[in-house]
Amino acid sequence: MNRFNLVKLANSLLPVAFALLIGAGIMVGMGHNPLEAYGIMFGRSLFTVRGLTNTLHMASPLILAGLAIAVTFRANLFNMGVEGQLLFGGFMAGIVGAYIQMSSPLLHKLLAFLAAAAAGMLFALLPALLRAFLRVDEMVVTLTLNYVMMTILEYLASGPFRNQGAGYVSTNTIRETAMFSRIGNTRLTPFFIISVIIFLLMWFLQKKTRFGYTVEAIGKNPQFSEATGLRVRRNIVKLMLISGALAGIAGAGHMMSHEFNYTLSFSGNPGIGWDGMLISLLGGHSPLGVLIAAVFYSSLKTGADNINLYTGIPKEIVAIIQGLIILFLSIQLIEQRFGPVKRWRAKRQMKEAERGSVE
Amino acid sequence: MESMLSTKDLTKQFGDFTANDKINFSVREGEIKAIVGENGAGKTTLMNMLYGDLEPTSGAVFLRGKHVRFNSPRDAIANGIGMVHQHFMLVPSFSVYENILLGAEIVNERIPFLVNSKEEKQRCRELIEKYGYDLDVNEKVANLSVGEQQKIEILKMLYRDVDILILDEPTSVLTPQEVDEFLIQLKKLKAKGKTIIIITHKLREVMDVSDSVMVMKQGQVIGNVETDETSEAELAQMMVGRKVLLTVQNDHKSVDGRTVMLNVNGLTTNDAAGKTVVNNVSFHIETGEIYGIAGVEGNGQSELVKLLSGMMESTSGSVVFEGQDITNWWVNDLRSKGIGIVPEDRFAEGLCKEMTLCANSIAGSTASKDFSPRGVFSTKRIRDHCQTLIDEYRIRIADFDGNVSQLSGGNAQKLIIAREMFKSPKLLIACQPTRGVDIGAIEFIHRQIIDFRDKGGAVLLVSSELSEVLSLADRVGVMYKGGIIGEVDPQQTTETEVGLLMAGAAPRTEATA
């Protein structure tokens, strides 16, 4: 492995290591044994059949959300609207699942996925066009649109599409033909397999096709891409649409394999889309990295329940660790977007070179 | 006459890049010295060192024969050297007198933290009167024209009683009328005993106002001449000319059965600011012909290349390639029609530094079946292709799987040319193909271009190296202010004639017909 890859690996592992270390410090301060806690947390969520299948089940939408963000990050685009696109996709899948009657379970699910993907793409289209043709910062637009979408869906779920029988804000439960059934005795559903297939597809696209080349070139040097005939604007729109579709599919899968109706806490807190951002950063925006990071992150989530169950440590410790990972990773994000360290380094190198040539 | 300010072997390096290489500069007391050279020749760097803004890497500065060392512009001003930068440093919401006295306020005698504005205004009025300027001291700078703002910058320096005034491209922001007035003002300042150093690349002004001229190119002094012993043409030639580097045999042999490959007709475009940068350009290139574009840089050559390579849109005019109208086509369509492009800025448009050699070797051909026979990239084919380019063009690499950033300028350029030639284009657009390239690579690149021509290819060669254009091209168009001012036959013309055209002198009638 060359130095570059090592740096990349360290970029992913160090934030996690620091977060776990500080988490351990907190546990020691509370009078608990952190090794035991971590042992239970990861042991139960990764090394028991039940725990592992749980983890993989929870990881399914996370993988897709992570991929949705990673694909834009690689092109130096920042689709921060994955959460909104995912919610919209999940909601649409819920509507299709609940209101449309179909005899074939396969076709019903397919239709729900299509509707969700279309919804995600639609919601990504506006920022994509603004970015490509008017150079409006897509980061700001996508980020703020999330809240627009949340509010719209809150209205729809509590108004026109409300399940009147439920004592809380919720849409009707989807029909059985739209529900993924469990595999064997586990919580895993075929949605996990779909996620993995999409992961393989994205990996293949990125490694082996013109599409991947285009993404990389646009991310690294847009001027070069334009000059060698890659249509940058068109590809920006394309990429944002792919990202939106992935987010929509993630939402649909989550709906049909886990939630079964749309509630205000559909994607949890923080939402799957936000988790996806963290996962993409953790995975260095490569498909394989995203897969590994999604499983790890999911194991943290399922591990939280075990920690609560088997030790006296409050499960909030996991939220603290998650928060710390986000904090440390965001340093990386700042660097990626604004490059302060890079600039500082270049400045220092220049100064050194100057000094060197004086002496 | 005694030298007022001079330098000995003054050198400035930024990392590996040498911006100023052993400059020996000298200005006499009371003269106007012009420093000319193209963008990036190192003029401003030199002045910033004289002004204490940049620390020299090596060499020394002498003021009236005494070795001096300025640590900051403040030092320089204290020693009587003032500089007006290209971009003004004024506070728009302050009035004229406040700007002139910024940093040198006159304070109230009894209450030292209060500014004595009455006294300030009085001093400024006297100053303005002394130098015959026409300015109201109470006017806000935001309301003033660019020309007036420049006067304030100069007054700022005069107030500080400098003897030497350095002006960095003072006329580039002025309208023609303002320029004329400015030049008169300069002569007045000189009459008052000031020594003036003016950086410019406008030769007319040099001839009009200066006493002597120093020509710089690529960080070096090309020559020092007295203004009344030189001409615009000679200066233009010095600015762009490079002493004989050409060893490539060019027999200008005629290829049989020539047909017109590219026909450019009345091509015009504006830049982002709405200024016409390419103005009614017409020419044609035949098969087996190299058409050269010469000219002082910044006269529309870069934009012309951008237009022809699909990176910029034209506002009027047409481009016809092999009988087909390709005006404002996309880059990828132009490339697939058989146009090879060697762009001006090789690391911005030609190559992607952070991508691998292999990835760069297929840039522009990613859709080709050769590299993805079944719609999927064949790693083996791409690697073989890249290896072929490296072998055939003898590109020196350190790591085959590494990024392009490992390549030197010359080898990077070779990679671009190898890649573009490999596609066997019908037309090659080469912009500054040998800039910053070592001599060996220059020769190699020239050889490639001539071989391509001899096999019947058409070449558009744009270069600010006059000798390069004249020795390679079969016909040469000279660009001036966005238009082609004249066309010459390089085998019959002289560098002097081309130099005159480059300086904007009237074209020969028969050449434009």
Side-chain angles (χ1 to χ4, degrees), chain B residues 107-128:
Chain B
V107 292
N108 193 305
E109 276 169 26
R110 274 169 301 171
I111 316 164
F113 53 86
L114 283 186
V115 172
N116 185 346
S117 44
K118 204 173 143 199
E119 174 78 16
E120 284 199 338
K121 284 182 201 174
Q122 188 49 39
R123 293 264 196 103
C124 285
R125 277 200 203 97
E126 283 166 14
L127 185 73
I128 290 170

PDB file of all heavy atoms in Angstrom, chain B residues 107-128:
ATOM      1  N   VAL B 107      -2.175  65.442  13.225  1.00  0.00           N
ATOM      2  CA  VAL B 107      -3.027  65.470  14.410  1.00  0.00           C
ATOM      3  C   VAL B 107      -3.064  66.862  15.037  1.00  0.00           C
ATOM      4  O   VAL B 107      -2.172  67.690  14.834  1.00  0.00           O
ATOM      5  CB  VAL B 107      -2.553  64.439  15.462  1.00  0.00           C
ATOM      6  CG1 VAL B 107      -2.774  63.045  14.937  1.00  0.00           C
ATOM      7  CG2 VAL B 107      -1.105  64.676  15.834  1.00  0.00           C
ATOM      8  N   ASN B 108      -4.097  67.051  15.768  1.00  0.00           N
ATOM      9  CA  ASN B 108      -4.283  68.289  16.517  1.00  0.00           C
ATOM     10  C   ASN B 108      -3.133  68.442  17.520  1.00  0.00           C
ATOM     11  O   ASN B 108      -2.743  67.490  18.181  1.00  0.00           O
ATOM     12  CB  ASN B 108      -5.622  68.182  17.256  1.00  0.00           C
ATOM     13  CG  ASN B 108      -6.058  69.505  17.803  1.00  0.00           C
ATOM     14  OD1 ASN B 108      -5.309  70.132  18.545  1.00  0.00           O
ATOM     15  ND2 ASN B 108      -7.254  69.911  17.444  1.00  0.00           N
ATOM     16  N   GLU B 109      -2.608  69.656  17.631  1.00  0.00           N
ATOM     17  CA  GLU B 109      -1.431  69.856  18.487  1.00  0.00           C
ATOM     18  C   GLU B 109      -1.727  69.604  19.954  1.00  0.00           C
ATOM     19  O   GLU B 109      -0.913  69.065  20.690  1.00  0.00           O
ATOM     20  CB  GLU B 109      -0.901  71.273  18.304  1.00  0.00           C
ATOM     21  CG  GLU B 109       0.018  71.389  17.106  1.00  0.00           C
ATOM     22  CD  GLU B 109       0.321  72.840  16.783  1.00  0.00           C
ATOM     23  OE1 GLU B 109       0.266  73.674  17.695  1.00  0.00           O
ATOM     24  OE2 GLU B 109       0.607  73.117  15.612  1.00  0.00           O
ATOM     25  N   ARG B 110      -2.926  70.015  20.368  1.00  0.00           N
ATOM     26  CA  ARG B 110      -3.228  69.881  21.794  1.00  0.00           C
ATOM     27  C   ARG B 110      -3.831  68.518  22.128  1.00  0.00           C
ATOM     28  O   ARG B 110      -3.516  67.920  23.140  1.00  0.00           O
ATOM     29  CB  ARG B 110      -4.168  71.007  22.236  1.00  0.00           C
ATOM     30  CG  ARG B 110      -3.401  72.267  22.612  1.00  0.00           C
ATOM     31  CD  ARG B 110      -4.349  73.433  22.783  1.00  0.00           C
ATOM     32  NE  ARG B 110      -5.086  73.675  21.539  1.00  0.00           N
ATOM     33  CZ  ARG B 110      -6.110  74.514  21.441  1.00  0.00           C
ATOM     34  NH1 ARG B 110      -6.552  75.143  22.496  1.00  0.00           N
ATOM     35  NH2 ARG B 110      -6.708  74.717  20.293  1.00  0.00           N
ATOM     36  N   ILE B 111      -4.700  68.056  21.256  1.00  0.00           N
ATOM     37  CA  ILE B 111      -5.334  66.760  21.529  1.00  0.00           C
ATOM     38  C   ILE B 111      -4.857  65.773  20.468  1.00  0.00           C
ATOM     39  O   ILE B 111      -5.406  65.709  19.372  1.00  0.00           O
ATOM     40  CB  ILE B 111      -6.868  66.876  21.486  1.00  0.00           C
ATOM     41  CG1 ILE B 111      -7.295  68.155  22.229  1.00  0.00           C
ATOM     42  CG2 ILE B 111      -7.534  65.654  22.082  1.00  0.00           C
ATOM     43  CD1 ILE B 111      -8.705  68.593  21.938  1.00  0.00           C
ATOM     44  N   PRO B 112      -3.828  65.011  20.754  1.00  0.00           N
ATOM     45  CA  PRO B 112      -3.141  64.248  19.722  1.00  0.00           C
ATOM     46  C   PRO B 112      -3.985  63.156  19.055  1.00  0.00           C
ATOM     47  O   PRO B 112      -3.612  62.672  18.002  1.00  0.00           O
ATOM     48  CB  PRO B 112      -1.951  63.626  20.446  1.00  0.00           C
ATOM     49  CG  PRO B 112      -1.980  64.146  21.832  1.00  0.00           C
ATOM     50  CD  PRO B 112      -3.251  64.855  22.082  1.00  0.00           C
ATOM     51  N   PHE B 113      -5.085  62.742  19.684  1.00  0.00           N
ATOM     52  CA  PHE B 113      -5.837  61.688  18.999  1.00  0.00           C
ATOM     53  C   PHE B 113      -6.922  62.246  18.085  1.00  0.00           C
ATOM     54  O   PHE B 113      -7.700  61.508  17.519  1.00  0.00           O
ATOM     55  CB  PHE B 113      -6.414  60.670  20.000  1.00  0.00           C
ATOM     56  CG  PHE B 113      -7.219  61.284  21.105  1.00  0.00           C
ATOM     57  CD1 PHE B 113      -8.566  61.542  20.913  1.00  0.00           C
ATOM     58  CD2 PHE B 113      -6.619  61.601  22.333  1.00  0.00           C
ATOM     59  CE1 PHE B 113      -9.304  62.092  21.933  1.00  0.00           C
ATOM     60  CE2 PHE B 113      -7.361  62.161  23.340  1.00  0.00           C
ATOM     61  CZ  PHE B 113      -8.706  62.420  23.151  1.00  0.00           C
ATOM     62  N   LEU B 114      -6.958  63.540  17.927  1.00  0.00           N
ATOM     63  CA  LEU B 114      -7.887  64.129  16.970  1.00  0.00           C
ATOM     64  C   LEU B 114      -7.141  64.527  15.705  1.00  0.00           C
ATOM     65  O   LEU B 114      -6.032  65.054  15.755  1.00  0.00           O
ATOM     66  CB  LEU B 114      -8.558  65.363  17.572  1.00  0.00           C
ATOM     67  CG  LEU B 114      -9.678  65.091  18.572  1.00  0.00           C
ATOM     68  CD1 LEU B 114     -10.336  66.402  18.976  1.00  0.00           C
ATOM     69  CD2 LEU B 114     -10.719  64.144  18.002  1.00  0.00           C
ATOM     70  N   VAL B 115      -7.781  64.261  14.585  1.00  0.00           N
ATOM     71  CA  VAL B 115      -7.161  64.609  13.316  1.00  0.00           C
ATOM     72  C   VAL B 115      -7.462  66.075  12.999  1.00  0.00           C
ATOM     73  O   VAL B 115      -8.587  66.536  13.142  1.00  0.00           O
ATOM     74  CB  VAL B 115      -7.696  63.702  12.187  1.00  0.00           C
ATOM     75  CG1 VAL B 115      -7.212  64.178  10.826  1.00  0.00           C
ATOM     76  CG2 VAL B 115      -7.266  62.270  12.429  1.00  0.00           C
ATOM     77  N   ASN B 116      -6.442  66.781  12.621  1.00  0.00           N
ATOM     78  CA  ASN B 116      -6.614  68.183  12.262  1.00  0.00           C
ATOM     79  C   ASN B 116      -7.000  68.261  10.787  1.00  0.00           C
ATOM     80  O   ASN B 116      -6.150  68.411   9.911  1.00  0.00           O
ATOM     81  CB  ASN B 116      -5.297  68.925  12.532  1.00  0.00           C
ATOM     82  CG  ASN B 116      -5.444  70.411  12.304  1.00  0.00           C
ATOM     83  OD1 ASN B 116      -6.425  70.863  11.718  1.00  0.00           O
ATOM     84  ND2 ASN B 116      -4.477  71.161  12.777  1.00  0.00           N
ATOM     85  N   SER B 117      -8.275  68.125  10.500  1.00  0.00           N
ATOM     86  CA  SER B 117      -8.671  68.000   9.102  1.00  0.00           C
ATOM     87  C   SER B 117      -8.522  69.311   8.345  1.00  0.00           C
ATOM     88  O   SER B 117      -8.322  69.311   7.143  1.00  0.00           O
ATOM     89  CB  SER B 117     -10.101  67.455   9.002  1.00  0.00           C
ATOM     90  OG  SER B 117     -10.927  68.093   9.921  1.00  0.00           O
ATOM     91  N   LYS B 118      -8.595  70.404   9.038  1.00  0.00           N
ATOM     92  CA  LYS B 118      -8.436  71.690   8.361  1.00  0.00           C
ATOM     93  C   LYS B 118      -7.026  71.789   7.767  1.00  0.00           C
ATOM     94  O   LYS B 118      -6.835  72.109   6.599  1.00  0.00           O
ATOM     95  CB  LYS B 118      -8.669  72.811   9.383  1.00  0.00           C
ATOM     96  CG  LYS B 118      -9.099  74.122   8.738  1.00  0.00           C
ATOM     97  CD  LYS B 118      -9.477  75.145   9.783  1.00  0.00           C
ATOM     98  CE  LYS B 118      -9.036  76.528   9.329  1.00  0.00           C
ATOM     99  NZ  LYS B 118      -8.961  77.472  10.455  1.00  0.00           N
ATOM    100  N   GLU B 119      -6.074  71.443   8.610  1.00  0.00           N
ATOM    101  CA  GLU B 119      -4.675  71.462   8.185  1.00  0.00           C
ATOM    102  C   GLU B 119      -4.448  70.436   7.055  1.00  0.00           C
ATOM    103  O   GLU B 119      -3.772  70.711   6.073  1.00  0.00           O
ATOM    104  CB  GLU B 119      -3.794  71.124   9.402  1.00  0.00           C
ATOM    105  CG  GLU B 119      -2.318  70.962   9.109  1.00  0.00           C
ATOM    106  CD  GLU B 119      -1.598  72.291   8.941  1.00  0.00           C
ATOM    107  OE1 GLU B 119      -2.171  73.322   9.348  1.00  0.00           O
ATOM    108  OE2 GLU B 119      -0.480  72.286   8.399  1.00  0.00           O
ATOM    109  N   GLU B 120      -5.068  69.289   7.239  1.00  0.00           N
ATOM    110  CA  GLU B 120      -4.921  68.218   6.231  1.00  0.00           C
ATOM    111  C   GLU B 120      -5.404  68.687   4.869  1.00  0.00           C
ATOM    112  O   GLU B 120      -4.727  68.527   3.866  1.00  0.00           O
ATOM    113  CB  GLU B 120      -5.722  66.982   6.642  1.00  0.00           C
ATOM    114  CG  GLU B 120      -5.068  66.171   7.747  1.00  0.00           C
ATOM    115  CD  GLU B 120      -5.615  64.754   7.826  1.00  0.00           C
ATOM    116  OE1 GLU B 120      -6.746  64.533   7.339  1.00  0.00           O
ATOM    117  OE2 GLU B 120      -4.922  63.884   8.366  1.00  0.00           O
ATOM    118  N   LYS B 121      -6.606  69.281   4.869  1.00  0.00           N
ATOM    119  CA  LYS B 121      -7.171  69.735   3.600  1.00  0.00           C
ATOM    120  C   LYS B 121      -6.272  70.774   2.946  1.00  0.00           C
ATOM    121  O   LYS B 121      -6.033  70.760   1.753  1.00  0.00           O
ATOM    122  CB  LYS B 121      -8.566  70.329   3.833  1.00  0.00           C
ATOM    123  CG  LYS B 121      -9.628  69.283   4.053  1.00  0.00           C
ATOM    124  CD  LYS B 121     -10.988  69.945   4.222  1.00  0.00           C
ATOM    125  CE  LYS B 121     -11.942  69.009   4.927  1.00  0.00           C
ATOM    126  NZ  LYS B 121     -13.209  69.646   5.242  1.00  0.00           N
ATOM    127  N   GLN B 122      -5.754  71.690   3.796  1.00  0.00           N
ATOM    128  CA  GLN B 122      -4.906  72.763   3.289  1.00  0.00           C
ATOM    129  C   GLN B 122      -3.665  72.183   2.611  1.00  0.00           C
ATOM    130  O   GLN B 122      -3.325  72.545   1.488  1.00  0.00           O
ATOM    131  CB  GLN B 122      -4.524  73.693   4.452  1.00  0.00           C
ATOM    132  CG  GLN B 122      -3.817  74.945   4.017  1.00  0.00           C
ATOM    133  CD  GLN B 122      -4.541  75.678   2.874  1.00  0.00           C
ATOM    134  OE1 GLN B 122      -5.772  75.758   2.835  1.00  0.00           O
ATOM    135  NE2 GLN B 122      -3.768  76.181   1.902  1.00  0.00           N
ATOM    136  N   ARG B 123      -3.029  71.232   3.294  1.00  0.00           N
ATOM    137  CA  ARG B 123      -1.813  70.632   2.733  1.00  0.00           C
ATOM    138  C   ARG B 123      -2.109  69.931   1.408  1.00  0.00           C
ATOM    139  O   ARG B 123      -1.336  70.005   0.460  1.00  0.00           O
ATOM    140  CB  ARG B 123      -1.247  69.595   3.725  1.00  0.00           C
ATOM    141  CG  ARG B 123      -0.721  70.214   4.998  1.00  0.00           C
ATOM    142  CD  ARG B 123       0.797  70.425   4.896  1.00  0.00           C
ATOM    143  NE  ARG B 123       1.333  70.643   6.234  1.00  0.00           N
ATOM    144  CZ  ARG B 123       1.990  69.711   6.929  1.00  0.00           C
ATOM    145  NH1 ARG B 123       2.189  68.520   6.397  1.00  0.00           N
ATOM    146  NH2 ARG B 123       2.457  69.971   8.126  1.00  0.00           N
ATOM    147  N   CYS B 124      -3.247  69.218   1.381  1.00  0.00           N
ATOM    148  CA  CYS B 124      -3.607  68.495   0.162  1.00  0.00           C
ATOM    149  C   CYS B 124      -3.872  69.458  -0.985  1.00  0.00           C
ATOM    150  O   CYS B 124      -3.473  69.202  -2.124  1.00  0.00           O
ATOM    151  CB  CYS B 124      -4.840  67.625   0.395  1.00  0.00           C
ATOM    152  SG  CYS B 124      -4.443  66.160   1.341  1.00  0.00           S
ATOM    153  N   ARG B 125      -4.544  70.563  -0.675  1.00  0.00           N
ATOM    154  CA  ARG B 125      -4.808  71.541  -1.723  1.00  0.00           C
ATOM    155  C   ARG B 125      -3.505  72.065  -2.300  1.00  0.00           C
ATOM    156  O   ARG B 125      -3.343  72.164  -3.515  1.00  0.00           O
ATOM    157  CB  ARG B 125      -5.638  72.709  -1.165  1.00  0.00           C
ATOM    158  CG  ARG B 125      -7.109  72.396  -1.136  1.00  0.00           C
ATOM    159  CD  ARG B 125      -7.969  73.645  -1.061  1.00  0.00           C
ATOM    160  NE  ARG B 125      -9.261  73.267  -0.507  1.00  0.00           N
ATOM    161  CZ  ARG B 125      -9.574  73.399   0.776  1.00  0.00           C
ATOM    162  NH1 ARG B 125      -8.720  73.948   1.626  1.00  0.00           N
ATOM    163  NH2 ARG B 125     -10.740  72.992   1.216  1.00  0.00           N
ATOM    164  N   GLU B 126      -2.574  72.359  -1.401  1.00  0.00           N
ATOM    165  CA  GLU B 126      -1.274  72.856  -1.872  1.00  0.00           C
ATOM    166  C   GLU B 126      -0.583  71.834  -2.762  1.00  0.00           C
ATOM    167  O   GLU B 126      -0.025  72.161  -3.808  1.00  0.00           O
ATOM    168  CB  GLU B 126      -0.368  73.172  -0.661  1.00  0.00           C
ATOM    169  CG  GLU B 126      -0.728  74.471   0.030  1.00  0.00           C
ATOM    170  CD  GLU B 126      -0.067  74.586   1.403  1.00  0.00           C
ATOM    171  OE1 GLU B 126       0.854  73.788   1.689  1.00  0.00           O
ATOM    172  OE2 GLU B 126      -0.486  75.459   2.188  1.00  0.00           O
ATOM    173  N   LEU B 127      -0.657  70.591  -2.313  1.00  0.00           N
ATOM    174  CA  LEU B 127      -0.015  69.509  -3.070  1.00  0.00           C
ATOM    175  C   LEU B 127      -0.627  69.382  -4.463  1.00  0.00           C
ATOM    176  O   LEU B 127       0.085  69.306  -5.475  1.00  0.00           O
ATOM    177  CB  LEU B 127      -0.184  68.194  -2.301  1.00  0.00           C
ATOM    178  CG  LEU B 127       0.522  66.972  -2.862  1.00  0.00           C
ATOM    179  CD1 LEU B 127       2.021  67.078  -2.622  1.00  0.00           C
ATOM    180  CD2 LEU B 127      -0.004  65.701  -2.225  1.00  0.00           C
ATOM    181  N   ILE B 128      -1.946  69.375  -4.504  1.00  0.00           N
ATOM    182  CA  ILE B 128      -2.651  69.221  -5.772  1.00  0.00           C
ATOM    183  C   ILE B 128      -2.306  70.379  -6.702  1.00  0.00           C
ATOM    184  O   ILE B 128      -2.062  70.205  -7.890  1.00  0.00           O
ATOM    185  CB  ILE B 128      -4.179  69.142  -5.524  1.00  0.00           C
ATOM    186  CG1 ILE B 128      -4.509  67.821  -4.852  1.00  0.00           C
ATOM    187  CG2 ILE B 128      -4.956  69.289  -6.822  1.00  0.00           C
ATOM    188  CD1 ILE B 128      -5.927  67.720  -4.337  1.00  0.00           C
TER     189      ILE B 128
END
